[in-house]
Amino acid sequence: MKPVNQSQVVIPFSILLTALLVLSAGCSETPTGPLNKWTTIPMGGSGGSGGHPFLLQFGSSGSGNGQMGLPQSLAVDAAGNIYLADYSNDRVQKFSSTGTYLSQWGTAGSANGQFSGPSGIALDAAGNVYVADSSNNRIQVFTGAGVYSTQWGTYGTGNGQFASSWALAVDSTNNVYVVDENNARVQKFTTAGVYVTQWGGSGSGSGAFSDPVGVGVDSTGSVYVCDDGLSMIKKFSNTGTFLLQWGSSGSGNGQFYDADGVAVSSSGNVYVADSGNSRIEQFTSMGIYVAQWGGGTTAFSDMDGIAVDSTGNIYGIDSGNSRIVKFGP
C-alpha cells in the first residue's frame, strides 16, 4: 500500500462498525475482506497460487543489507538480478535471482544519486536502471552497478515536470513512461529524458485519471495504468490513445481495493498487485479475469509492487511483511 500521512487517515464508519461487531462476539471469528490483511483468498489453479508455483521469498523489516522499509517497486534484468526501490530507506537494493543481497546505492537527500522516497524502478534493454524519485520530483538513471548517469524533472505542471513522479516503465524501444501522480497524467520521454508527449488529466472519463499509481507495458507497446482512485486498469496505445479499461472497487474476481502495481509478461498476461485485498490478480491483455492468489501458505500483507521476468517468473513485493516473493510461470 502506498505510504500515507497517518495524521490525515480517516477511518470509515463501516470499518469501525465491523470492528465493534467482532469485539462483541468475543473475537470468535476472524473478519474477512479488505480489513483483514491475512484473509485466505480463494485460489485459481494448482498449488494455491493461481497455478504459479511458489519458488522463493526473502527479506525482512529494517535498514540493514537485504532488509526493507516500505518497498514499493521492483524490476528484474536479463540475468535475473532483482532491483528494489526501498522507499523508506531511500535507496535501491540489488539481489541475485536467488535472493542473495549483492549491493545498494543511495542515501536520503536531493543531490545526484540521493533519493527522497524512491517509489518506482524500471530497466531498459541495456540494463540501465531508472528510478522514480518521488518527493524530489525527478527521474534518475544509473548503470546496473549503481553508477549515476543522469536525471530529469523538477516540481511543476509543465511538460517534463512532476508532482510526485511515482511509477515508471520502459518499453522495448526505450520509451520511458512516468506516472505523474498528483498531476493525474502519464508523461512519455526518451531514455535521455527528452519529453515526447503526455495524456490523462483529473477525472473519471475513459482517458482521465483519479489517482494513477502504477504503469506497465507489453511487447506491442501498449501501456497499462493502475488508477487507484477509480479501482481500474486503463490500457492505452504508446501515443496515449485510450483502448479499454476494467475493474471496480471490491474484493470479487476482477475487482480491486488499492491496486498499486501492474506488469505484463511477454505472452501478454497482465498481473495486478491488488494491495488492499492482499493478492495478485491475473488477466488477459483484454482485461478478462484469469486467476488470483494470496492466501494460505502464500498469504500477503499489502501486495504493492509486481514484475515479470523474461521467462515469465512473477515477483511481488509483500510490503507489509517486508519481503519479495517469487512464483513460476
Side-chain angles (χ1 to χ4, degrees):
M1 183 174 292
K2 181 185 170 186
V4 296
N5 182 343
Q6 297 297 329
S7 66
Q8 296 178 350
V9 173
V10 177
I11 303 175
F13 175 74
S14 60
I15 293 179
L16 292 173
L17 179 60
T18 300
L20 289 171
L21 288 172
V22 171
L23 289 172
S24 68
C27 297
S28 60
E29 296 185 12
T30 301
T32 60
L35 305 183
N36 177 21
K37 300 300 185 184
W38 291 96
T39 297
T40 299
I41 299 168
M43 303 300 170
S46 63
S49 55
H52 300 278
F54 175 79
L55 300 178
L56 177 70
Q57 64 174 313
F58 58 93
S60 61
S61 179
S63 58
N65 294 350
Q67 294 184 313
M68 306 168 190
L70 292 177
Q72 293 296 303
S73 182
L74 76 168
V76 186
D77 68 17
N81 296 309
I82 302 160
Y83 300 79
L84 178 73
D86 193 4
Y87 182 88
S88 292
N89 288 321
D90 290 311
R91 64 184 178 183
V92 169
Q93 294 197 74
K94 181 178 180 179
F95 301 87
S96 73
S97 61
T98 58
T100 300
Y101 169 84
L102 298 177
S103 64
Q104 65 177 278
W105 66 88
T107 57
S110 58
N112 294 350
Q114 292 186 311
F115 302 113
S116 180
S119 53
I121 194 165
L123 304 172
D124 66 18
N128 296 304
V129 183
Y130 298 74
V131 181
D133 188 7
S134 62
S135 293
N136 283 323
N137 298 292
R138 65 184 178 182
I139 304 301
Q140 295 197 72
V141 187
F142 303 85
T143 69
V147 178
Y148 171 84
S149 298
T150 189
Q151 65 176 280
W152 71 87
T154 58
Y155 177 77
T157 60
N159 296 347
Q161 293 185 308
F162 305 112
S164 183
S165 47
W166 188 257
L168 78 169
V170 183
D171 69 17
S172 59
T173 56
N174 285 337
N175 296 298
V176 183
Y177 302 87
V178 180
V179 169
D180 185 9
E181 183 187 10
N182 292 332
N183 283 323
R185 65 184 178 181
V186 171
Q187 295 195 67
K188 179 179 178 180
F189 301 87
T190 69
T191 53
V194 177
Y195 171 84
V196 177
T197 189
Q198 65 176 280
W199 64 88
S202 183
S204 58
S206 58
F209 302 116
S210 174
D211 185 20
V213 294
V215 61
V217 293
D218 66 20
S219 59
T220 69
S222 295
V223 181
Y224 301 75
V225 181
C226 284
D227 191 333
D228 185 25
L230 298 176
S231 299
M232 287 182 177
I233 301 298
K234 296 193 172 190
K235 181 179 178 180
F236 301 85
S237 73
N238 61 6
T239 57
T241 300
F242 174 80
L243 300 176
L244 63 93
Q245 64 187 25
W246 70 88
S248 60
S249 181
S251 58
N253 295 349
Q255 293 185 308
F256 307 113
Y257 181 68
D258 193 11
D260 276 356
V262 59
V264 190
S265 71
S266 59
S267 57
N269 294 310
V270 181
Y271 300 95
V272 179
D274 186 10
S275 175
N277 284 319
S278 294
R279 65 183 177 184
I280 295 170
E281 291 195 84
Q282 179 181 342
F283 302 86
T284 70
S285 60
M286 296 303 293
I288 298 172
Y289 171 84
V290 176
Q292 63 176 280
W293 66 98
T297 58
T298 55
F300 306 135
S301 177
D302 288 341
M303 176 54 59
D304 274 350
I306 195 159
V308 185
D309 67 20
S310 59
T311 62
N313 294 309
I314 304 150
Y315 305 75
I317 296 178
D318 186 9
S319 187
N321 289 316
S322 300
R323 66 176 179 172
I324 293 172
V325 289
K326 178 180 178 180
F327 299 88

